[in-house]
Amino acid sequence: MFDIQEELKKLPAKPGVYIMHDEKDAIIYVGKAISLKNRVRQYFQSSRNKGVKIEQMVTKIDRFEYIVTDSELEALVLECNLIKEHRPKYNTMLKDDKTYPFIRVTVSEPYPRVLFSRRMRKDKSRYFGPYTSAGAVKDTIELINKLYRLRTCSRNLPRDIGKERPCLNYHIKQCNAPCQGYESQEEYAKRVAQAVEFLNGNYKPVLKMLEERMQEASERLDFEAAIEQRELLNSVKQIAQKQKITSGDGEDKDVIALAADDRDAVVQVFFVRSGRLIGRDHFYLRVAPHDTPGVILNSFLKQFYSGTPFIPREIMLQEEIEDSEIIEEWLGKRRGGRVYIRVPKKGTKEKLVELAAKNAWMVLTQDREKIKREEGRTIGAMKEIASLLGLSDVVRVEAFDISNISGFESVGSMIVYEKGKPKTSDYRKFKIRTVKGPDDYASMEEVLGRRFSHGLAERAEDGGEFGSFSRFPDLIMMDGGKGQVNVALRVLQELHLDIPVCGMVKDDHHRTRGLYYNNTEIPIDRHSEGFRLITRIQDEAHRFAIEYHRSLRSKQQVRSVLDDIEGVGETRRKALMRRFKSVEAIRDASVEELAATESMNLPAAQKVYEFFH
């Protein structure tokens, strides 16, 4: 159970991004803060005037999480990325691509320019950013053009060399007039390279130069010049805060770092997709006292990437690992393309790994008890169920349920829990095809037969690695007792599959009371985490089936009113609804009014009228 007041006490007084979840674990709000401790607490203080929308949002918060960053600037960029990725219900800002400006260097031109841009396009230019201050970007571009005497005109060079007189910048010594041929392309290219180095982070020489100019101006009492240099200096310092949250290369990469003590380790993974940090996850590991970071990371990589379907092109680590070349080859085969494992030593990539390590330490030191409680609810509960059934290891569980009302539109649901948590991407729905009427046993037999036959077919096609049905469960849990279990066992026997099956048995009050396994009902401690997990699985299977059934009933009701009329198909139904807005208005319309509707004719209108009258 997430205790909000207790978790508020653990918040660090550091910049970062906070993520609010509702009771269904959906992200409903993403925000940034200079101090996470102060900002997040404000939401839960009754004395503050938060406004109707925020007050409504606060009532929906079930839990929150946060990512620590090095600066508010990074927090703001990360906030934008997460909002674009998850589109939280209560966020109303940072919606479009114009949130941050870039600096664009047109390196594909013979005489490149440094320009302000609101978008990053695939046009062979080099982009730097994004940045949070448009004014600072413009100041920096102006500074670069002054320092390196780069052209600001839009002339097509070298085609237009000598066609027009040089502009004012040449006369005030801010451009060497390549438009007149006064400077070779090679000489100009050297200065462009220096400007690119500055934008890459080599700004110390420029800062030193500006500081010296400011000091010299102050000593000769030229305070106006000193103020100008100071403002440029501040602009450079602001723009020089390197953006570690967004990568300019647009690559997919995972950033992995850990924090460890004598007994435990937390591995933090940042997921960068198309250059954007879209999310993160952490993993809690039990380690030996003398395990080195390299050993822990080596073990983690093998376990993590054997179970994840997506392999990025680059994996960035904080420590070198043994067998990295072999692991690269293994991952490359799984990915179908080259994979690089790297340990960055400098620049933005190193800073991003450091950021992952900081968040790993935060989890290890502040959230240890929370993680262990969560493990008890999930992995621990799954181990408890496995122990009750006498099974050695249960990781993946599939549960099935049937829903119908007097046999109408019978449907089946399949839900999946892995390591004690729902894996919604593997949920499946089945519309019953062969069974007429309310026969739950026959319906379940069809669902299970289709599910595992499909899985066997996928395994035969691709080796069982990538198909959505090809991964089979360690345990099947049926919503019911002996009857449903026997149905499942019969299907598995016919398909020559050996998978344990148990039933989730309910008492006369429709409450879970135990498990039916190997012809025996096994009682469960109602206060145990295993019992709570069984209840969650049972409720989730039922909910998923009911929701699917409800959606089919709704579609059937809409269809039956108009589509059952001979001569009225989808096109005419939509035309009638567009004009009359409701079925009641269609019922009250005359034949002439119906016939005057788009796509309708007199015979069809007559049939619609006769249907209602």
Side-chain angles (χ1 to χ4, degrees), residues 27-46:
I27 295 176
I28 60 173
Y29 189 77
V30 175
K32 69 171 182 67
I34 300 176
S35 170
L36 288 165
K37 182 177 182 178
N38 295 338
R39 184 72 184 95
V40 178
R41 280 182 171 181
Q42 290 175 4
Y43 288 96
F44 303 96
Q45 293 174 356
S46 58

Side-chain angles (χ1 to χ4, degrees), residues 312-329:
R313 184 173 182 270
E314 183 178 7
I315 299 169
M316 299 194 306
L317 304 177
Q318 72 186 130
E319 295 278 348
E320 298 284 354
I321 62 171
E322 292 184 4
D323 305 326
S324 60
E325 293 182 2
I326 298 174
I327 295 176
E328 282 181 341
E329 183 180 356

Side-chain angles (χ1 to χ4, degrees), residues 257-276:
L258 66 84
D261 58 19
D262 290 340
R263 296 176 295 119
D264 303 305
V266 170
V267 174
Q268 184 88 27
V269 184
F270 283 177
F271 304 105
V272 180
R273 301 293 179 259
S274 300
R276 293 182 181 273

Side-chain angles (χ1 to χ4, degrees), residues 353-385:
V353 173
E354 288 179 1
L355 195 60
K358 286 182 180 179
N359 280 272
W361 273 112
M362 195 71 63
V363 173
L364 183 66
T365 56
Q366 294 191 3
D367 292 350
R368 176 174 291 168
E369 291 304 317
K370 172 186 169 184
I371 293 171
K372 289 183 177 179
R373 288 196 304 270
E374 180 66 16
E375 280 190 340
R377 290 183 66 250
T378 56
I379 298 174
M382 197 70 88
K383 288 180 178 178
E384 188 179 325
I385 294 171

Side-chain angles (χ1 to χ4, degrees), residues 275-329:
R276 293 182 181 273
L277 175 57
I278 63 167
R280 57 90 184 256
D281 204 351
H282 60 257
F283 302 86
Y284 203 81
L285 291 84
R286 180 74 62 183
V287 297
H290 301 294
D291 280 351
T292 65
V295 169
I296 298 170
L297 287 173
N298 190 311
S299 177
F300 174 77
L301 286 184
K302 294 173 183 176
Q303 295 177 56
F304 179 67
Y305 288 110
S306 65
T308 181
F310 182 83
I311 310 293
R313 184 173 182 270
E314 183 178 7
I315 299 169
M316 299 194 306
L317 304 177
Q318 72 186 130
E319 295 278 348
E320 298 284 354
I321 62 171
E322 292 184 4
D323 305 326
S324 60
E325 293 182 2
I326 298 174
I327 295 176
E328 282 181 341
E329 183 180 356

Side-chain angles (χ1 to χ4, degrees), residues 576-594:
L576 288 168
M577 290 302 293
R578 274 197 302 270
R579 179 179 180 187
F580 295 100
K581 308 302 180 185
S582 69
V583 174
E584 289 75 14
I586 296 171
R587 180 194 61 199
D588 296 338
S590 65
V591 173
E592 291 75 15
E593 289 173 328
L594 294 170

